[in-house]
Amino acid sequence: MIKLNNGIEIPQIGVGTWTLRGETAVNNVRLALEAGFRHIDTAQLYENELDVGQGIYDSLVPRCEIFLTTKVATNIMREGREAVRHSIEESLRKLNTKYLDLLLIHWPVKDCVKDTWQVMEDFVRQGKVRSIGVSNFNCHHLDDLLSYAEIRPVINQIEVHPFMTQEENIAYNRELGIQVQAWGPFGQGDIDVIGHPLLQSLAAKYNKTASQIVLRWIVQRGLITIPRAKPNHFAENLEVMQFTLSDEDMAAISGLNRNLRSNVLNDPENFPW
């Protein structure tokens, strides 16, 4: 568990649901919870909140044991405060929950962050959202947000993998007391992270998979992560808490950095929202 700046704890490893819809999303979420995960991540843009909510319901795991995250969509942010407010109420309805553990701004949409954040703060005050944070924010985005925010973000969810280590951004978030959550730990399938020879050799050395080596590198850095929900990898992902990489191997993995995003469109400074 990682403690957030508001005192709430979040499981360090969760399951992401990007690209999962329909019965696949329902079943994967249910199976993840049955396997022992207690941290589920979705978003309005994923168009699967109804499915995620059903998966949670079907698992029979008490809602109070689950850390549930969703994110405000970019197109909704452009429509203004009332649209944002309505979308959050819709997310609560679709997810079949009275509250969200974490609500994020999905992308720093220009000229829309302040209004969105202030609506999110209202939901915290109403008790419908326990924590609020951001996703894909660079340092200057955080500076701007903190110039008016009454509630400090607890998390910044950013792309982190061995080819995109985000050292500077992570260090700055930590200075601000904001935890960092890594999305796309394996490169989203757009770049071959786990196929790198170093990761393959470390997998053999530790008798683990290359995916486990990457996840261990992330959690050993003190980051939170949400690899996509794939039932055949659930047990494998949970096992990363049971071994440790040497300092030398941690440094070697970090040395793979190329500042390479999985997709050029994922650059917060130049994304097409």
Side-chain angles (χ1 to χ4, degrees):
M1 304 292 284
I2 298 289
K3 184 171 285 189
L4 305 175
N5 62 34
N6 60 1
I8 292 173
E9 292 187 327
I10 180 173
Q12 192 171 10
I13 300 181
V15 290
T17 61
W18 178 65
T19 75
L20 302 180
R21 294 180 185 174
E23 283 303 308
T24 300
V26 173
N27 291 332
N28 285 19
V29 168
R30 174 181 60 80
L31 291 169
L33 292 168
E34 290 175 353
F37 286 96
R38 291 297 182 266
H39 174 186
I40 305 294
D41 180 278
T42 185
Q44 294 172 354
L45 279 173
Y46 300 168
E47 298 180 347
N48 66 5
E49 289 176 318
L50 200 60
D51 306 319
V52 169
Q54 187 63 50
I56 291 172
Y57 179 82
D58 290 351
S59 75
L60 302 181
V61 175
R63 173 66 183 89
C64 62
E65 294 183 11
I66 301 168
F67 194 100
L68 179 60
T69 301
T70 194
K71 313 174 192 74
V72 179
T74 53
N75 59 311
I76 298 298
M77 291 176 66
R78 289 183 176 276
E79 295 177 12
R81 288 174 179 257
E82 287 311 306
V84 170
R85 194 179 310 277
H86 177 72
S87 77
I88 298 170
E89 293 287 3
E90 274 293 286
S91 290
L92 289 165
R93 182 188 66 80
K94 290 177 179 178
L95 290 164
N96 192 28
T97 184
K98 293 181 180 179
Y99 67 94
L100 295 167
D101 296 282
L102 178 61
L103 179 64
L104 303 178
I105 289 179
H106 206 153
W107 288 90
V109 180
K110 188 176 181 180
D111 300 326
C112 299
V113 172
K114 184 174 183 178
D115 283 349
T116 301
W117 190 256
Q118 290 176 340
V119 171
M120 290 164 60
E121 289 179 326
D122 288 342
F123 275 82
V124 174
R125 297 184 185 104
Q126 294 168 27
K128 295 181 178 180
V129 174
R130 298 177 73 207
S131 308
I132 51 178
V134 296
S135 184
N136 301 301
F137 273 46
N138 286 335
C139 300
H140 70 94
H141 296 123
L142 292 172
D143 288 340
D144 184 62
L145 172 63
L146 291 173
S147 71
Y148 54 77
E150 295 183 12
I151 299 175
R152 181 174 291 264
V154 298
I155 272 176
N156 186 8
Q157 187 182 114
I158 57 177
E159 181 176 7
V160 179
H161 49 73
F163 298 165
M164 186 75 188
T165 58
Q166 296 265 31
E167 300 284 354
E168 181 180 344
N169 199 349
I170 290 170
Y172 193 63
N173 276 268
R174 286 177 169 158
E175 286 179 17
L176 298 173
I178 300 169
Q179 295 289 347
V180 173
Q181 188 173 50
W183 67 258
F186 310 129
Q188 298 288 75
D190 295 314
I191 53 178
D192 186 13
V193 172
I194 61 176
H196 192 279
L198 172 65
L199 297 172
Q200 292 294 321
S201 67
L202 291 176
K205 174 181 176 179
Y206 288 91
N207 194 27
K208 302 294 179 182
T209 66
S211 297
Q212 286 178 307
I213 297 297
V214 170
L215 291 181
R216 182 63 209 178
W217 170 76
I218 289 173
V219 300
Q220 205 164 312
R221 295 176 72 194
L223 308 179
I224 304 156
T225 190
I226 44 168
R228 201 178 316 170
K230 294 183 178 180
N232 57 320
H233 293 301
F234 287 158
E236 178 182 312
N237 290 353
L238 288 173
E239 286 174 5
V240 304
M241 306 306 289
Q242 299 173 10
F243 73 101
T244 302
L245 296 170
S246 70
D247 291 344
E248 293 78 11
D249 291 335
M250 286 289 293
I253 297 169
S254 295
L256 298 178
N257 183 49
R258 307 174 193 170
N259 293 322
L260 177 65
R261 295 187 182 276
S262 57
N263 189 310
V264 293
L265 299 181
N266 290 334
D267 184 354
E269 302 301 327
N270 190 35
F271 61 91
W273 306 113

